Amino acid sequence: MRKSVLFFLLPLFLFGGEAQKQLNVFELTPSKMPPQQFKVEAVFSKEIKADCNDAYLIGGKIEQKEGSDGLLYYEFSGGNELAQTLMLCKTEKQKKWVYYELEAPFFYTPGEIRILAPKDVKVELKIYELVESKEPKIRKMK
């Protein structure tokens, strides 16, 4: 009996009982435009069963760490707490990608952005380019 309990608990002690993680590596290519012309943000999502309501996951956070190789990486950890609207739905729950409320901004620098996240979390980088900057027209109030 003791041996069988030890056999089942051994993986928890060896692997810490944590969700498995994967390293997501994004390569940013050099640009002729200045880096200030770009906005880079990481977006995190998870596939869950949800109804027709708008939903998002809360409780995500990201920390900058240094790897054993001396390179910096970011570690994402997120909860499973779901927030959603409360409309009546006529359809069954379906699998869909639900985003975390956290959006992590980065500077656009050529090279790698490395993000460690749980395997069931999808990581995307969104890169925005400044196309035009507009100044407001100042009008006097009457």
Side-chain angles (χ1 to χ4, degrees):
M1 175 73 176
R2 289 183 189 172
K3 289 181 181 179
S4 64
V5 171
L6 182 62
F7 177 74
F8 289 112
L9 292 178
L10 188 61
L12 288 177
F13 292 122
L14 290 176
F15 300 111
E18 284 189 26
Q20 290 194 355
K21 298 193 174 199
Q22 64 183 6
L23 187 63
N24 300 275
V25 180
F26 300 94
E27 184 71 35
L28 298 180
T29 56
S31 173
K32 293 179 183 177
M33 296 173 58
Q36 298 83 6
Q37 296 288 104
F38 297 98
K39 177 184 173 187
V40 180
E41 88 185 2
V43 182
F44 307 92
S45 63
K46 186 184 273 192
E47 189 175 31
I48 62 170
K49 275 193 161 190
D51 55 20
C52 68
N53 287 300
D54 291 331
Y56 62 93
L57 292 160
I58 55 178
K61 72 176 191 175
I62 191 162
E63 295 179 61
Q64 183 176 352
K65 296 186 175 185
E66 186 173 336
S68 59
D69 55 0
L71 297 174
L72 293 178
Y73 70 94
Y74 299 90
E75 184 172 356
F76 173 78
S77 58
N80 290 327
E81 192 172 344
L82 185 67
Q84 62 183 6
T85 58
L86 299 174
M87 299 184 308
L88 183 62
C89 296
K90 295 180 182 179
T91 59
E92 297 278 327
K93 288 187 175 184
Q94 299 175 351
K95 280 193 171 191
K96 66 179 184 178
W97 288 98
V98 177
Y99 289 89
Y100 282 89
E101 66 176 341
L102 171 77
E103 294 175 351
F106 295 96
F107 291 109
Y108 189 95
T109 53
E112 292 182 347
I113 293 180
R114 302 166 8 140
I115 301 174
L116 185 67
K119 276 192 172 183
D120 61 344
V121 173
K122 181 179 176 184
V123 183
E124 300 174 80
L125 267 192
K126 292 185 177 182
I127 302 174
Y128 302 96
E129 181 182 353
L130 177 65
V131 176
E132 182 179 4
S133 180
K134 291 194 173 216
E135 294 292 324
K137 294 179 183 176
I138 307 296
R139 295 185 180 158
K140 292 185 180 181
M141 299 293 292
K142 292 182 184 179

